[in-house]
Amino acid sequence: MRISRVPDIQEIVEELSLRAGDVINNLRTSLDHLMWQLAQLQGPPRDPLRVKFRVCKTNGLSCTKPDYLGSQVWGQVHEFQPCKGVNGRADSWPGEYVHQAEQLAKLSNHDKHRNIVDIDPAVSGFSSIPTRLTLPPWIEVIDGEHIFAPGRLGDPDPDAEVIDLSRADHRLAVGAEVARVRAQLWGSVETIGFIGFARLHFTLPQLLPLLPTLQRLSLYCHEVLTAFTPDSAAGPSVGRPMVPTNGQR
């Protein structure tokens, strides 16, 4: 089953790209602004242009306290860094785990260098017209009537369609493969005409789901900012480790 026709959605893609880029850059800027405010606790920074939310990557090679932050404040900020371990996944993306701080920096840099975030519509599934000519085992014909037989729900169904998605490349493009269907009942007919609609969703680079990824990054930034919200005259509150949705640290 291949895609035979693609609607013109370029305007939608451009609009989503611009909006996603705004969200990503605003989130990263919010963390940079936080670092600027925390730096003021030690007085005006010697080099204001270097003040930013530094990312200690998972390899642990960049865990160096910046000179514009005090030791106690840096210890609090450090708790939210990738080198501290997994910080949960709020989305359903099955790819390799990427910490929110690293992911945010990567997407922001991508947006800066390419003007807008690349958003590619990808095929996530399809709906098709029925292709079988026989009845499943749990539907019996008795005296000309179709009777539901719940006791046969577990019986083998030799004529059921076998959907093979292993070769799908998930691209929304004419000729892109969506699925393979083993349908012997089609006989010698080599080409089937229109069979259904491909459902699509919009993704960030590397097929990251658009909305769940933005929500995941937004939650992370909210947790970081909340940890440093002044709740008394004493200054920033004590840093709280983020509590992931999946129970992992």
Side-chain angles (χ1 to χ4, degrees), residues 132-142 146-161:
R132 65 181 300 154
L133 299 178
T134 61
L135 295 174
W138 49 87
I139 299 294
E140 300 176 346
V141 179
I142 302 178
H146 292 76
I147 307 299
F148 173 59
R152 300 192 61 188
L153 283 175
D155 290 2
D157 187 5
D159 294 329
E161 297 173 334

Side-chain angles (χ1 to χ4, degrees), residues 26-114:
N26 285 339
L27 289 175
R28 187 173 184 181
T29 300
S30 70
L31 297 180
D32 291 339
H33 277 296
L34 172 64
M35 292 302 102
W36 176 257
Q37 294 179 45
L38 294 176
Q40 305 306 309
L41 298 176
Q42 292 199 136
R46 290 183 297 177
D47 188 355
L49 296 179
R50 293 180 57 248
V51 178
K52 64 179 181 179
F53 185 80
R54 183 175 296 183
V55 178
C56 293
K57 297 182 179 180
T58 50
N59 57 21
L61 299 179
S62 58
C63 298
T64 303
K65 184 188 79 67
D67 57 11
Y68 47 81
L69 291 181
S71 298
Q72 180 179 359
V73 173
W74 168 243
Q76 294 174 286
V77 174
H78 200 210
E79 286 299 314
F80 293 95
Q81 295 294 328
C83 60
K84 290 295 184 176
V86 177
N87 247 340
R89 290 203 73 98
D91 57 65
S92 59
W93 184 50
E96 180 182 358
Y97 173 83
V98 181
H99 189 278
Q100 293 96 320
E102 289 183 286
Q103 190 174 70
L104 182 59
K106 184 175 182 179
L107 288 172
S108 177
N109 291 338
H110 182 96
D111 180 71
K112 290 177 182 176
H113 295 138
R114 302 192 183 185

